[in-house]
Amino acid sequence: MVGVRVIDLRSDTVTRPTPAMREAMAAAEVGDDVYGEDPSVNRLQEQAAALLGKEAALFVPSGTMANQASLRTLTRPGDILLAGEGAHVLRYESGGPAALAGVHVQTIGRGGFFDGAEVKAAIHPDESHFAPTRAVTVENTHNTSGGRVFPLDRLKDVVATAREHGLSLHLDGARLFNAVVATGTPARVWAEPFDTATFCLSKGLGAPVGSLVCGDASVIRSVHRARKMLGGGMRQAGFLAAAGLYALEHHVDRLADDHANARRLAAGLEKLGFAVDPSPETNMVMFGVEDTLGFLRATRARDLWINPMGEGRFRAVTHLDAPEPQIDEALGRIGEVVAQGIR
Ligand SMILES: Cc1ncc(COP(=O)(O)O)c(C=O)c1O
């Protein structure tokens, strides 16, 4: 149980449903979604498809399943999937692309971002010795780069090259709405070129569970089959979909607060002498420390939870349950750590 003193900036996945979201969940109309009979799930899927400008959408339990069911649909065993460095599908999904889709993941570009020329250079010749280069995945926002937005002009360049060479396109949009709010570019513009486009309800949007995969009706039929195979068919999932519908209505615009809080935290850390990555674009702050273990222990001892991202690097994530006063309190506690000579 997290005590009231704890400030948890490990991830935006740690939020608890608000009282109003819980009310919406309790009041949800439900049915058996494996039979396609859950009205709340159906409503959520229709709304997600409309938001992303696609024909259809499918509710799945997690961002991981959204990615893996999509990749299984877009590729065949033996294919190559091109991805940016540090892609979630490669690093944090338990080997899913290899185990579940049978694809090799080849990273291109730098720090999660790449352009059309880098896609082109990676494409194998159409010759029997080579694994076929089949698809490209784009992560937007990009987690391990610190929540950065994939620049739209670079994305257009990637899409043009991918299409020219017959590659499929997947969007890991776990935090797509952070990109939407940060840039003012609508979700359907970001999603438009992709065969499969996902977003998560359980990150900054503050719902407890769930992600959507959006695409053409025929593609979503295949993703639906993959979801079934992966064990992701849920029954009265409308309780969860109701949380998602509530989140889409009430928790999108407020992501701007998380972004402002991330900038506030970054500025405070800089004042305390930390090397902070350039101003946060969304809700993540990446910063350097000299003593990884010492900093981790000293912050934990003060009930401040921030995760290291490898040696000498920490990532703090702002969210619904960490409003501005908690950000200031977190900076106060980090100030105490620095005063002890730990940084
Ligand atoms: C970019 C990205 N994609 C996918 C996921 C997977 O989501 P889930 O934890 O719901 O499986 C995450 C989780 O943090 C993520 O950051």
Side-chain angles (χ1 to χ4, degrees):
M1 183 70 191
V2 178
V4 283
R5 216 187 98 85
V6 169
I7 299 175
D8 190 348
L9 303 179
R10 289 171 302 166
S11 175
D12 49 9
T13 56
V14 300
T15 58
R16 257 58 70 84
T18 61
M21 182 181 278
R22 285 171 194 253
E23 266 177 42
M25 294 171 76
E29 266 189 283
V30 298
D32 188 333
D33 181 51
V34 172
Y35 287 112
E37 291 169 3
D38 188 302
S40 302
V41 170
N42 291 340
R43 219 167 22 250
L44 175 63
Q45 291 177 163
E46 279 159 26
Q47 222 179 89
L51 269 170
L52 268 64
K54 302 291 188 193
E55 276 175 8
L58 187 75
F59 186 47
V60 297
S62 66
T64 300
M65 193 182 288
N67 284 333
Q68 298 304 329
S70 299
L71 296 178
R72 241 195 105 85
T73 295
L74 299 182
T75 61
R76 290 188 301 212
D79 285 349
I80 288 187
L81 169 73
L82 302 179
E85 282 181 344
H88 197 278
V89 292
L90 175 60
R91 268 177 79 166
Y92 299 119
E93 300 189 7
S94 201
L100 303 172
V103 297
H104 313 256
V105 182
Q106 184 178 337
T107 54
I108 56 173
R110 282 242 161 256
F113 303 98
F114 46 88
D115 53 31
E118 285 161 322
V119 169
K120 189 169 177 189
I123 295 173
H124 278 169
D126 184 11
E127 200 270 320
S128 66
H129 284 81
F130 298 99
T133 308
R134 186 78 60 194
V136 182
T137 179
V138 169
E139 189 175 306
N140 195 17
T141 62
H142 189 264
N143 183 341
T144 56
S145 75
R148 306 227 163 255
V149 179
F150 207 104
L152 194 55
D153 52 343
R154 282 184 96 178
L155 180 61
K156 286 182 177 159
D157 183 35
V158 165
V159 168
T161 307
R163 290 303 182 207
E164 191 187 322
H165 294 272
L167 307 186
S168 297
L169 284 154
H170 172 68
L171 171 64
D172 176 353
R175 296 183 179 79
L176 180 64
F177 285 95
N178 293 88
V180 168
V181 168
T183 59
T185 302
R188 74 187 125 71
V189 173
W190 287 115
E192 194 274 325
F194 292 94
D195 300 293
T196 44
T198 73
F199 68 90
C200 290
L201 299 164
S202 57
K203 310 266 169 347
L205 297 183
V209 175
S211 295
L212 278 302
V213 184
C214 307
D216 285 354
S218 63
V219 169
I220 295 305
R221 267 197 299 281
S222 301
V223 175
H224 196 159
R225 182 178 285 275
R227 182 186 77 173
K228 186 67 190 160
M229 190 187 292
L230 296 169
M234 298 180 283
R235 302 294 178 174
Q236 285 70 34
F239 293 114
L240 304 174
L245 285 162
Y246 182 90
L248 286 175
E249 194 176 340
H250 298 281
H251 290 173
V252 173
D253 293 343
R254 65 148 308 284
L255 290 172
D257 298 344
D258 297 347
H259 300 176
N261 283 335
R263 291 192 295 272
R264 187 177 183 89
L265 182 61
L269 285 166
E270 248 167 23
K271 256 195 211 141
L272 289 168
F274 290 91
V276 185
D277 280 11
S279 183
E281 293 176 25
T282 58
N283 67 334
M284 295 184 184
V285 183
M286 304 288 264
F287 61 101
V289 300
E290 287 160 15
D291 176 1
T292 307
L293 194 57
F295 187 79
L296 181 64
R297 284 191 178 138
T299 46
R300 285 293 164 112
R302 285 168 176 76
D303 290 325
L304 172 60
W305 297 357
I306 311 177
N307 273 348
M309 296 281 281
E311 192 57 34
R313 211 165 154 71
F314 273 71
R315 185 195 71 173
V317 187
T318 55
H319 54 75
L320 183 63
D321 286 354
E324 193 181 288
Q326 282 207 17
I327 299 301
D328 292 342
E329 174 63 26
L331 284 167
R333 293 183 199 176
I334 295 170
E336 289 170 21
V337 169
V338 171
Q340 271 194 325
I342 300 167
R343 63 166 60 252

